[in-house]
Amino acid sequence: MLQDAVTEAIGAAMFEELAAVGYGKLTVEAVAKRAGAGKAAVYRRWPSKQAMVIDLVTRVATTTADAPDTGTLRGDVLEFLSAGAKALTHPLMSRIVPDLLAEGSRNPEVAAILLEQVGGTRRKKAAAILHRAIQRGELPVDTDLELGLDFLAGPLYWRVGILRDPMDPERLNHLADKVVAAIAAPISNVEVPSRP
């Protein structure tokens, strides 16, 4: 039987090591040493470095996508954005997320797994926000859910993850207003004329 304390120590060590050296230089040996455990303890839990990283990152990333039902679309969006901003500014995650995205550009297998397990799970959880808003009548039934999910994630990641601009409560409130307005706006059927 696996000891929870050892598993937690290995998980904490993996995040610290990943933030310190990046995925490419991360080794099971270094994680085990940092955790005060043997390599065998790691391999009893995960068959490889990749499996360990994906499993632990997925657990954390999908937890931060939880958005409680506040009763309103705006409230749900604000909660989602606040949790995302907190995760993206965490001292470890602010270094890990860009590194894993870069690794995904070099390693198609890692990219596919992250897209499915992290991105897919986060989008499914975020979709609940939009489905609830449709059920409450705050959004039309023909709302473009995929585009709405892009609006939920994109501006926040750009501002916090790429530009490294911390979001204070006032900015998060302003962003929530803009995201809700964008999701709720009807899609125009106006054709853009082609250039001659």
Side-chain angles (χ1 to χ4, degrees):
M1 183 172 184
L2 300 177
Q3 296 177 350
D4 290 343
V6 174
T7 303
E8 288 176 19
I10 292 169
M14 190 284 300
F15 281 109
E16 291 168 5
E17 191 69 15
L18 184 58
V21 303
Y23 183 85
K25 294 182 181 177
L26 182 80
T27 65
V28 170
E29 293 83 359
V31 171
K33 182 177 180 183
R34 191 183 278 259
K39 284 194 314 184
V42 176
Y43 285 119
R44 277 195 295 273
R45 290 159 175 82
W46 301 279
S48 66
K49 169 180 98 169
Q50 179 176 303
M52 173 181 61
V53 170
I54 296 295
D55 178 52
L56 293 171
V57 167
T58 299
R59 288 185 204 183
V60 170
T62 55
T63 300
T64 61
D66 290 340
D69 184 352
T70 65
T72 67
L73 173 59
R74 189 193 180 281
D76 290 357
V77 168
L78 181 59
E79 288 293 320
F80 182 84
L81 294 173
S82 297
K86 183 178 178 182
L88 288 170
T89 56
H90 185 278
L92 296 180
M93 295 311 287
S94 66
R95 289 181 283 171
I96 290 170
V97 171
D99 178 69
L100 287 178
L101 291 173
E103 183 61 30
S105 70
R106 293 184 292 269
N107 185 331
E109 183 180 359
V110 168
I113 293 170
L114 286 172
L115 183 61
E116 178 187 338
Q117 292 187 17
V118 176
T121 303
R122 287 181 62 84
R123 281 180 81 86
K124 284 178 189 170
K125 287 185 172 193
I129 293 170
L130 304 183
H131 288 295
R132 286 194 302 255
I134 290 168
Q135 290 171 349
R136 289 189 296 253
E138 294 176 284
L139 291 174
V141 294
D142 64 346
T143 296
D144 185 335
L145 296 179
E146 287 300 310
L147 189 56
L149 293 172
D150 292 345
F151 286 140
L152 273 173
L156 179 71
Y157 184 74
W158 173 256
R159 179 63 54 188
V160 180
I162 303 297
L163 299 180
R164 306 279 182 171
D165 184 15
M167 298 286 278
D168 60 35
E170 183 180 343
R171 294 271 322 233
L172 281 168
N173 272 294
H174 186 64
L175 180 59
D177 289 338
K178 292 294 186 183
V179 168
V180 168
I183 294 170
I187 295 177
S188 173
N189 290 326
V190 177
E191 286 187 34
V192 176
S194 59
R195 293 185 175 177

